[in-house]
């Protein structure tokens, strides 16, 4: 068996084409969605991700700004920037690229972003809303994974899913979304016993650890869907957590790295920014 390749680049392009039509419609009503990204420091990968977000936003007709702050910026100075963006009516979506330099407390920063502009869905208010089942912004990588799974042609109801990695950005929210879609989820992490046994019986495996070679052909049940969120640079080459060439021989569907989950993450930032801008239109109408 050779797996269906879940081509994130192509799926993202098609999704963005639909977003573009909605952006055009909003512009006709006088609103240009704006995404403003705050980048603190000089991490090369982070700079590349925020540049990709800006380019993708502009390509579909949004406006986008990157605010770059020096590596040694104080927490208070970052908070001042965020408070200004919260008050600016031309800014619809705000995101602060993580990781942040160590002098800055990430939670303080994420808490400061106005929940209605928090297009990453990282503010604790929005995280709480997700778990309470209330409409909110859902973090972009989990949202992108759910979209990729739609293209794997598998109904999630009753499926056994193994999620490896319990981060607030990926593992925990995706486990919640999958549970809401009636899957049975096992959330695995560095202290889990029976990791390999759990993978082997799973219909879907989602690996978000950043450990190349973690998921091997022997771990995968024939026909299982494998989603690789890993993004580790090894000897100048990007590698996922999954041994792609081997695993694609047994899996039913698989995402490549690069070109799988990454482009979907960027697309879902645009999706959330559009929603944020659309919601301001609704508020404008109800204020009259
Ligand atoms: N504020 C946020 N920070 C971070 C997030 C996030 O969702 N919000 N996620 C990651 C980084 N990330 C988005 O910011 C991200 C990672 C990877 C990609 C991507 O498209 N990767 C490409 C390969 C790119 C390359 O060649 O280097 C791929 O997989 O095809 C997009 C976004 C942590 N920080």
């Amino acid at each position: 068996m050779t797996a269906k390749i879940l081509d994130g680049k192509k799926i993202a392009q098609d999704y963005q084409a639909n977003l573009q039509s909605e952006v055009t419609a909003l512009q006709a009503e006088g609103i240009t969605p704006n995404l403003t990204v705050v980048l603190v420091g000089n991490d090369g990968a982070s700079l590349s991700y925020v540049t990709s977000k800006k380019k993708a936003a502009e390509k579909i007709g949004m406006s986008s700004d990157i605010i770059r702050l020096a590596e040694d910026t104080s927490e208070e100075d970052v908070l001042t920037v965020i408070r200004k963006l919260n008050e600016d009516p031309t800014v619809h979506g705000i995101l602060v690229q993580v990781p942040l330099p160590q002098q800055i407390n990430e939670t303080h920063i994420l808490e400061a972003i106005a929940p209605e502009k928090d297009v990453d869905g990282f503010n604790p208010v929005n995280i709480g809303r997700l778990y309470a089942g209330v409409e909110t912004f859902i973090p972009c990588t989990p949202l992108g994974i759910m979209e990729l799974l739609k293209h794997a042609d598998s109904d999630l109801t009753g499926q056994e899913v193994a999620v490896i990695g319990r981060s607030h950005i990926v593992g925990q929210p995706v486990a919640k979304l999958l549970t809401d879609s009636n899957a049975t989820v096992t959330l695995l992490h560095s202290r889990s016993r029976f990791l390999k046994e759990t993978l082997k019986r799973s219909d879907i495996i989602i690996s978000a650890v950043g450990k190349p070679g973690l998921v091997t052909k022997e771990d995968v049940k024939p026909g299982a869907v494998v989603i690789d969120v890993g993004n580790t640079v090894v000897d100048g080459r990007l590698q996922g957590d999954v041994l792609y060439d081997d695993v694609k021989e047994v899996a039913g569907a698989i995402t490549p790295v690069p070109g799988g989950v990454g482009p979907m993450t960027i697309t879902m930032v645009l999706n959330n920014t559009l929603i944020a801008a659309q919601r301001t239109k609704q508020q404008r109408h109800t204020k009259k």
Side-chain angles (χ1 to χ4, degrees), residues 45-46 48-50 52-53 95-99 110 120 122 139-141 169 230-231 233 238 256-266 269:
S46 291
S48 143
Y49 300 145
V50 302
S52 299
K53 289 174 190 180
L95 74 81
V96 177
Q97 191 65 24
V98 295
L110 300 177
D120 259 331
F122 291 169
C140 301
T141 301
I169 297 187
N231 240 265
V233 178
L238 198 63
V257 176
V261 174
M264 296 305 293
T265 297
I266 295 204
V269 180

Side-chain angles (χ1 to χ4, degrees), residues 75-221:
E75 185 176 302
E76 199 43 49
D77 284 351
V78 181
L79 290 172
T80 303
V81 169
I82 291 170
R83 288 182 195 124
K84 232 172 119 187
L85 295 173
N86 286 344
E87 295 304 317
D88 184 342
T90 66
V91 174
H92 301 100
I94 303 169
L95 74 81
V96 177
Q97 191 65 24
V98 295
L100 287 162
Q102 58 170 14
Q103 75 276 12
I104 299 171
N105 179 313
E106 193 175 294
T107 308
H108 294 169
I109 299 301
L110 300 177
E111 273 179 331
I113 299 173
E116 67 277 13
K117 296 190 179 188
D118 170 36
V119 288
D120 259 331
F122 291 169
N123 181 306
V125 169
N126 285 330
I127 296 171
R129 290 172 72 91
L130 173 64
Y131 285 91
V134 179
E135 195 178 55
T136 185
F137 289 113
I138 295 169
C140 301
T141 301
L143 207 51
I145 292 170
M146 296 306 285
E147 192 57 34
L148 283 166
L149 287 173
K150 287 184 195 161
H151 291 261
D153 306 324
S154 73
D155 179 3
L156 293 172
T157 300
Q159 298 276 293
E160 295 276 341
V161 187
V163 176
I164 324 174
R166 56 180 158 178
S167 73
H168 292 291
I169 297 187
V170 185
Q172 295 199 29
V174 84
K176 165 70 176 146
L177 297 177
L178 290 160
T179 307
D180 289 348
S181 295
N182 302 317
T184 302
V185 182
T186 306
L187 187 52
L188 299 152
H189 47 78
S190 53
R191 304 286 175 87
S192 293
R193 294 155 67 208
F194 312 120
L195 182 130
K196 297 277 175 180
E197 293 85 339
T198 307
L199 297 185
K200 191 73 190 183
R201 65 158 200 264
S202 295
D203 304 303
I204 299 172
I205 295 173
I206 298 172
S207 186
V209 178
K211 201 169 168 191
L214 176 67
V215 181
T216 69
K217 186 177 179 174
E218 288 70 36
D219 300 327
V220 177
K221 181 165 86 172

